């Protein structure tokens, strides 16, 4: 079993992003819905600096980024974009702290992982940082220090929380396969060696010494085995993108103590089945893998398929509540 297998994860939580721009309303929704596993909401609708890449760029230490027409670009000094990102993060932390007074239990916070960050941040020449091995190393080191400071701030604000760090890596498969497009769009950056990818992730996972790390990707072909070797205690993914090719890796992950954050509730507007129907595929997978139904509650956290930034506030609230009910259904009727 993995060293974090005894950690008490909650039965359901969200991925990260929420619609709208009201930090207090988002924190109130999240803490009210997931009383045993809230998360720090992200509100990208506020604009640059609240988006996934900009928010994490604001956490970097001794590296700064600014918004260009083509996206986020590394620069020499902190400008208004960095300050805006840090201000919004502070606002989100204030709101979460307000609604987690006396809270004790798991609490999830998210940041972009090193490889999606390297694919999403530009160097001065306009190419992705991914194109330069030295820049990737510098970025990962800066991110590691920024995450240490971020986690320390959270421990100070919410001392009873057991922090879970989620690294968002939607570009990871593209990085491994050499599918990240160059600035011109006419070619792609070469694939990064799998051992380099794994070691960099292992170093980032090692930053969070007091709790588990979950790696999230809502892209197809999540590299489960690589993430496990890198030390991820849990893997978060869009359940609808699984194929039977993933069966062996998932079976090994569960048997090795890795938790699955199964994204079974659609992240965008649409009709929802009943809660039991939403987790029917998880039960089917369990039977196909020959796993004990009794393991389900121990091994699975129910989430939306991806972030909810593109949903209406009403649907986002419904989707999160649906995750909580679906998790109860799975625990009550594992067969």
């Amino acid at each position: 079993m993995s060293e974090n297998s005894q950690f008490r994860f909650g039965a359901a939580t969200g991925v990260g992003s929420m619609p709208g721009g009201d930090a207090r309303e988002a924190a109130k929704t999240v803490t009210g819905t997931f009383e045993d596993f809230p998360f720090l909401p992200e509100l990208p609708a506020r604009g640059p600096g609240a988006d996934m890449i900009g928010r994490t760029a604001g956490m970097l230490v001794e590296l700064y980024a600014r918004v260009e027409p083509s996206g986020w670009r590394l620069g020499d000094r902190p400008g208004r974009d960095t300050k805006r990102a840090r201000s919004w993060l502070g606002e989100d932390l204030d709101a979460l702290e307000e609604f987690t007074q006396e809270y004790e239990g798991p609490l999830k916070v998210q940041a972009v992982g090193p490889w999606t960050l390297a694919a999403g941040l530009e160097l001065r020449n306009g190419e992705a940082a991914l194109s330069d091995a030295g820049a990737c190393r510098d970025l990962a080191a800066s991110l590691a220090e920024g995450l240490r400071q971020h986690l320390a701030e959270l421990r100070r604000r919410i001392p009873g929380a057991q922090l879970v760090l989620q690294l968002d890596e939607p570009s990871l498969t593209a990085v491994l396969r050499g599918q990240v497009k160059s600035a011109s769009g006419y070619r792609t950056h070469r694939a990064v060696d799998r051992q380099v990818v794994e070691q960099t992730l292992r170093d980032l996972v090692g930053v969070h010494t007091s709790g588990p790390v979950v790696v999230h990707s809502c892209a197809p072909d999540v590299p489960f085995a690589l993430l496990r070797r890198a030390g991820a205690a849990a893997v978060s993914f869009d359940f609808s993108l699984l194929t039977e090719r993933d069966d062996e890796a998932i079976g090994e992950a569960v048997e090795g103590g890795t938790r699955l954050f199964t994204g079974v509730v659609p992240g965008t507007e649409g009709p929802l089945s009943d809660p039991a129907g939403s987790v029917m595929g998880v039960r089917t997978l369990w039977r196909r893998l020959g796993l004990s139904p009794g393991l389900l509650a121990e091994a699975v956290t129910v989430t939306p398929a991806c972030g909810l930034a593109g949903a209406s506030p009403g649907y986002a609230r419904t989707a999160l509540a649906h995750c909580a009910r679906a998790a109860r259904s799975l625990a009550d009727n594992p067969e």
Side-chain angles (χ1 to χ4, degrees), residues 12-15 17-19 29 33-34 39 264-273 275 278 302-309 311-327:
T13 192
V15 171
S17 67
M18 295 283 285
T29 297
T33 306
F34 301 119
F39 64 96
V264 296
V265 177
T268 50
E269 228 89 4
L272 294 173
S273 70
S278 292
V302 176
T303 72
C306 212
L308 295 167
S312 70
Y315 177 80
R317 286 191 295 272
T318 299
L320 295 183
H322 193 84
C323 288
R325 287 196 293 272

Side-chain angles (χ1 to χ4, degrees), residues 170-244:
S171 300
L172 183 59
T173 301
V175 167
L176 289 165
R177 293 183 174 176
Q179 294 171 337
V180 176
K181 282 192 165 62
S182 66
S184 69
Y186 293 123
R187 62 181 185 84
T188 55
H189 295 292
R190 69 177 60 181
V192 181
D193 182 271
R194 294 182 79 87
Q195 287 182 309
V196 173
V197 169
E198 185 181 319
Q199 184 58 54
T200 302
L201 283 168
R202 185 179 295 114
D203 291 345
L204 262 294
V205 168
V207 164
H208 189 26
T209 55
S210 60
V213 174
V214 51
V215 179
H216 167 74
S217 174
C218 45
D221 299 318
V222 175
F224 288 94
L226 183 150
L227 296 176
R228 287 181 58 226
R229 289 196 304 272
V235 181
S236 171
F237 55 96
D238 180 343
F239 191 82
S240 71
L241 298 178
L242 287 185
T243 69
E244 292 197 15

Side-chain angles (χ1 to χ4, degrees), residues 251-286:
E252 288 175 356
V254 172
E255 288 173 348
T258 304
R259 194 169 183 91
L260 306 180
F261 281 44
T262 55
V264 296
V265 177
T268 50
E269 228 89 4
L272 294 173
S273 70
D274 64 294
S278 292
V279 288
M280 191 188 315
V282 181
R283 291 192 185 95
T284 302
L285 171 68
W286 234 245

Side-chain angles (χ1 to χ4, degrees), residues 11 68 88 104 109 182 209 261 266 275 303 328:
E68 297 286 342
W88 273 328
E104 294 184 355
V109 298
S182 66
T209 55
F261 281 44
T303 72
R328 277 198 295 276

Side-chain angles (χ1 to χ4, degrees), residues 40-54:
L40 176 63
E42 301 165 3
L43 303 171
R46 292 179 297 198
D51 61 299
M52 187 171 82
I53 296 292

